[in-house]
Amino acid sequence: MKISILKNVLNESIQHVSKAISSRTTIPILGGIKLDVTHQGVTLTASDTDISIQSFIPIEDDNRTIVQVEQPGSVVLPAKFFVEIIKKLPSQEVQMEVKEQFQTFISSGATEIQMVGLDPEEFPVLPDIEGNQTISVPGVLLKNMIRQTGFAISTQETTPILTGVLWNLEHNDLKFTATDRHRLATRSAHLDGTEEVKFSNVVIAGKTLNELSKIVPDQNALVDIVVADNQVLFKLDRVLFYSRILDGIYPDTSRIIPTSYKTELVLDTKKLSESIDRAYLLSREEKTNIVRLQTMDNGGIEISSSSSELGKVREELEVIDFKGEPLRISFNSKYMLDVLKIVESEQLMIAFTGMMSPIILKPMDDSQSTYIILPYRTTN
């Protein structure tokens, strides 16, 4: 294998695929990035068995020569060193040559590097995913849906299924659900042209979706998604992103979402967020994060928290709309702030069915999103 390649294009591809490299792998070959060179271009691949990412660099793009291939071939290079060294090379062109025993020589400007390569035949073969379970989602929408649900996944490996986001598609409606048993986030979107496609209980690890989100461009370019029995493939321009589907049955969360409420409040999202953020400063010191909300006779609400060492904080907030019964409730302010950070609506409806029932949060200009936080039982 012998090529000359533009450094910035090679570096961009390396950054994409390196997101699939695990620092804790027990299989040495998975600590590397595989390069396959043909007369069509260069393909980079990385995998940690849960996710695999492949990036293709064509010979030419927009009438600009990117790669000059003198001799095709393959090699696996240790990712930790390869990722860092390519970024720091002095010249805009990089020459690479693989000789006997996969010894790899890299040169750029006056810099010359020798790396010990690995046999590409030992690298795992990527899954062959085909099927009619294919949908196309605008990149911006996909990123938003991940951001608006991924924060609610569980971080406890004792229940692996809850460390992922549940995907369901039926009647053209794609729905994401995430819960850690203390809170829940759902986000739906209507997709045209998916009448023939239907799937359920597709659960993808939250950390996987987080890595995918970093690769998805901010433009409205479509991301093609192929769903198979135990794998999902995301196709983004010249990048293929494979993800394993988590094993197990996701719990039915539909039963915990109330359809009628005893109390409804409409509040200014920014003012509520700032108020709870101030109260959080004290509640954080108690290691409880507990903040209290109660309705007042004048139609407003009171936000308060206390610390046995630091004191108390209390403030009143105006309410845009108030329906139903008076209420006093305690909740985890960190969970509430996580929701308020991703709500883009200027106004937010908070609904309650009772003191120890779930707290429902719905952005006023977004009927597709619902958030739930379980309240705390407190002694005062």
Side-chain angles (χ1 to χ4, degrees):
M1 172 187 139
K2 191 174 181 182
I3 61 168
S4 176
I5 187 168
L6 294 182
K7 183 185 87 169
N8 63 331
V9 180
L10 175 60
N11 183 54
E12 185 181 4
S13 268
I14 289 172
Q15 297 306 315
H16 285 333
V17 301
S18 65
K19 291 175 174 54
I21 302 282
S22 170
S23 57
R24 300 188 304 272
T25 182
T26 55
I27 308 168
I29 198 81
L30 294 184
I33 293 174
K34 183 185 178 190
L35 285 81
D36 289 300
V37 175
T38 67
H39 288 294
Q40 281 69 51
V42 181
T43 302
L44 283 75
T45 310
S47 177
D48 71 353
T49 67
D50 283 334
I51 66 172
S52 302
I53 304 174
Q54 194 168 74
S55 177
F56 178 69
I57 303 170
I59 295 290
E60 288 186 355
D61 186 35
D62 289 335
N63 296 320
R64 177 181 64 149
T65 300
I66 299 172
V67 188
Q68 294 174 349
V69 178
E70 234 178 277
Q71 186 180 345
S74 300
V75 70
V76 177
L77 297 177
K80 194 172 181 182
F81 183 60
F82 187 50
V83 168
E84 290 301 319
I85 198 65
I86 296 298
K87 274 193 292 193
K88 296 176 180 178
L89 290 176
S91 173
Q92 283 308 305
E93 262 197 21
V94 179
Q95 287 75 41
M96 298 180 67
E97 184 175 6
V98 179
K99 297 188 177 180
E100 289 182 3
Q101 303 298 314
F102 303 106
Q103 290 292 317
T104 303
F105 297 84
I106 300 172
S107 60
S108 176
T111 303
E112 293 184 356
I113 298 144
Q114 182 178 344
M115 292 180 72
V116 178
L118 298 169
D119 185 353
E121 292 297 318
E122 295 178 16
F123 201 85
V125 178
L126 292 185
D128 184 16
I129 297 181
E130 288 185 10
N132 55 1
Q133 297 285 74
T134 302
I135 60 173
S136 296
V137 181
V140 171
L141 174 61
L142 180 60
K143 283 172 79 97
N144 279 337
M145 291 182 74
I146 293 170
R147 183 175 60 89
Q148 291 164 352
T149 54
F151 69 89
I153 64 162
S154 173
T155 56
Q156 303 298 317
E157 294 295 337
T158 49
T159 49
I161 198 74
L162 295 185
T163 64
V165 177
L166 171 68
W167 294 39
N168 286 323
L169 176 66
E170 191 172 12
H171 306 308
N172 282 354
D173 285 322
L174 177 65
K175 183 177 182 181
F176 286 13
T177 303
T179 183
D180 62 4
R181 292 204 175 101
H182 302 288
R183 54 183 169 172
L184 179 142
T186 69
R187 172 70 159 88
S188 300
H190 185 79
L191 304 178
D192 289 323
T194 59
E195 293 87 351
E196 303 301 316
V197 184
K198 177 182 176 182
F199 53 76
S200 61
N201 201 60
V202 171
V203 185
I204 304 172
K207 62 182 180 182
T208 296
L209 291 174
N210 187 41
E211 295 301 339
L212 171 68
S213 191
K214 293 173 187 174
I215 295 176
V216 174
D218 288 324
Q219 298 87 20
N220 241 346
L222 291 176
V223 178
D224 291 333
I225 304 169
V226 186
V227 180
D229 288 341
N230 60 356
Q231 292 272 343
V232 178
L233 168 60
F234 301 88
K235 298 180 178 179
L236 310 90
D237 193 18
R238 295 193 179 105
V239 176
L240 300 179
F241 189 111
Y242 297 80
S243 168
R244 184 175 66 85
I245 294 173
L246 295 183
D247 295 326
I249 303 296
Y250 204 86
D252 181 8
T253 58
S254 60
R255 291 173 291 121
I256 68 170
I257 303 177
T259 52
S260 59
Y261 316 113
K262 290 183 179 177
T263 306
E264 291 181 42
L265 305 169
V266 177
L267 295 150
D268 181 293
T269 307
K270 187 170 184 285
K271 288 180 181 176
L272 177 66
S273 179
E274 290 171 349
S275 176
I276 292 175
D277 201 17
R278 286 187 283 269
Y280 166 64
L281 291 176
L282 252 68
S283 66
R284 183 181 62 188
E285 295 301 315
E286 288 291 284
K287 306 283 193 291
T288 61
N289 295 337
I290 291 176
V291 166
R292 295 172 183 82
L293 179 154
Q294 75 176 81
T295 54
M296 302 175 65
D297 294 339
N298 63 7
I301 62 166
E302 178 187 286
I303 303 286
S304 64
S305 70
S306 60
S307 161
S308 54
E309 292 184 6
L310 294 177
K312 297 180 179 179
V313 62
R314 173 192 170 278
E315 62 181 278
E316 294 181 17
L317 270 184
E318 291 182 4
V319 172
I320 296 165
D321 192 24
F322 174 32
K323 296 177 191 168
E325 304 172 2
L327 185 81
R328 177 184 172 89
I329 202 160
S330 301
F331 54 86
N332 185 316
S333 52
K334 172 78 168 57
Y335 290 172
M336 184 70 81
L337 288 169
D338 283 346
V339 173
L340 295 171
K341 281 176 194 167
I342 53 95
V343 169
E344 294 172 355
S345 172
E346 290 184 5
Q347 295 180 1
L348 180 74
M349 184 190 86
I350 305 184
F352 313 87
T353 56
M355 188 179 291
M356 288 312 296
S357 298
I359 303 167
I360 315 298
L361 299 101
K362 286 179 176 264
M364 289 299 286
D365 63 0
D366 176 13
S367 61
Q368 305 279 22
S369 301
T370 301
Y371 306 98
I372 292 178
I373 300 170
L374 294 183
Y376 275 127
R377 187 182 298 278
T378 56
T379 53
N380 58 333

XYZ file of all heavy atoms in Angstrom, residues 16 32 65 87 118 186 223 228 237 245 263 310 327 337 356 362 364 377:
140
model
N -14.003 11.073 12.705
C -15.311 10.393 12.631
C -15.211 8.969 13.180
O -15.963 8.584 14.076
C -15.812 10.341 11.184
C -16.329 11.649 10.662
N -16.859 12.620 11.471
C -16.403 12.145 9.388
C -17.241 13.657 10.739
N -16.967 13.395 9.478
N -7.351 -0.377 16.994
C -6.776 0.220 15.792
C -7.818 0.725 14.816
O -9.014 0.461 14.945
N -8.088 16.839 -6.391
C -7.497 15.535 -6.091
C -7.212 15.445 -4.595
O -6.518 16.301 -4.036
C -6.196 15.319 -6.881
O -6.491 15.378 -8.282
C -5.577 13.967 -6.552
N -2.993 14.760 13.196
C -3.378 16.146 13.502
C -2.163 17.073 13.548
O -2.256 18.249 13.212
C -4.072 16.213 14.877
C -5.549 15.952 14.853
C -6.208 16.346 16.157
C -5.789 15.465 17.307
N -6.650 15.649 18.500
N -0.895 -3.692 12.064
C -1.462 -5.017 12.354
C -2.108 -5.587 11.099
O -2.462 -4.851 10.168
C -2.496 -4.924 13.474
C -1.991 -4.428 14.842
C -3.167 -4.132 15.764
C -1.051 -5.440 15.470
N -40.139 12.001 26.255
C -40.593 11.465 24.972
C -40.580 12.585 23.933
O -40.851 13.741 24.246
C -42.026 10.878 25.033
O -42.969 11.944 25.209
C -42.163 9.889 26.164
N -30.613 11.716 6.783
C -29.864 10.567 7.273
C -30.721 9.327 7.005
O -31.859 9.241 7.470
C -29.589 10.683 8.789
C -28.854 9.448 9.296
C -28.797 11.953 9.093
N -32.427 -3.467 11.239
C -32.411 -4.919 11.046
C -32.723 -5.595 12.383
O -33.117 -4.944 13.346
C -31.054 -5.355 10.501
N -23.931 10.732 4.202
C -23.017 11.119 3.134
C -21.977 10.015 2.928
O -22.299 8.944 2.438
C -22.374 12.469 3.466
C -21.653 13.073 2.264
O -21.938 12.624 1.144
O -20.824 13.978 2.446
N -28.391 -3.098 18.575
C -29.635 -2.858 19.316
C -29.525 -3.574 20.664
O -29.107 -4.735 20.728
C -30.859 -3.372 18.526
C -31.030 -2.548 17.234
C -32.130 -3.302 19.367
C -32.102 -3.075 16.297
N -54.174 20.065 38.539
C -53.606 21.416 38.572
C -52.779 21.636 37.313
O -52.023 20.758 36.908
C -52.693 21.598 39.811
O -53.412 21.258 40.984
C -52.193 23.027 39.920
N -26.278 26.523 55.262
C -26.194 27.809 54.575
C -27.420 28.697 54.761
O -27.321 29.911 54.689
C -25.950 27.585 53.080
C -24.605 26.948 52.719
C -24.517 26.717 51.226
C -23.462 27.833 53.171
N -51.513 23.533 45.309
C -50.608 22.387 45.359
C -49.293 22.774 46.026
O -48.823 23.892 45.918
C -50.323 21.906 43.929
C -49.493 20.633 43.801
C -50.377 19.403 44.000
C -48.827 20.562 42.446
N -33.961 21.007 35.952
C -33.084 21.866 35.143
C -32.646 21.173 33.859
O -32.493 21.817 32.816
C -31.862 22.292 35.962
C -32.132 23.320 37.062
C -30.916 23.467 37.972
C -32.527 24.668 36.475
N -48.266 13.361 45.213
C -47.242 12.340 44.991
C -47.350 11.692 43.615
O -46.855 10.607 43.389
C -47.312 11.271 46.092
C -46.818 11.747 47.446
S -45.220 12.592 47.382
C -44.156 11.278 46.811
N -44.772 20.172 29.605
C -45.016 20.204 28.156
C -44.706 21.601 27.626
O -45.307 22.573 28.069
C -46.478 19.867 27.846
C -46.847 18.398 28.010
C -48.347 18.208 27.701
C -48.737 16.745 27.752
N -48.738 16.097 26.465
N -45.147 24.744 25.466
C -46.434 25.229 24.945
C -46.496 25.246 23.417
O -47.570 25.115 22.844
C -46.730 26.632 25.492
C -47.069 26.638 26.972
S -48.561 25.668 27.359
C -49.847 26.755 26.723
N -41.199 12.627 48.398
C -41.985 12.733 49.629
C -41.082 13.354 50.691
O -40.019 12.842 50.991
C -42.460 11.350 50.089
C -43.430 11.410 51.265
C -43.808 9.983 51.695
N -44.487 9.264 50.636
C -45.790 9.381 50.367
N -46.542 10.203 51.085
N -46.327 8.675 49.390
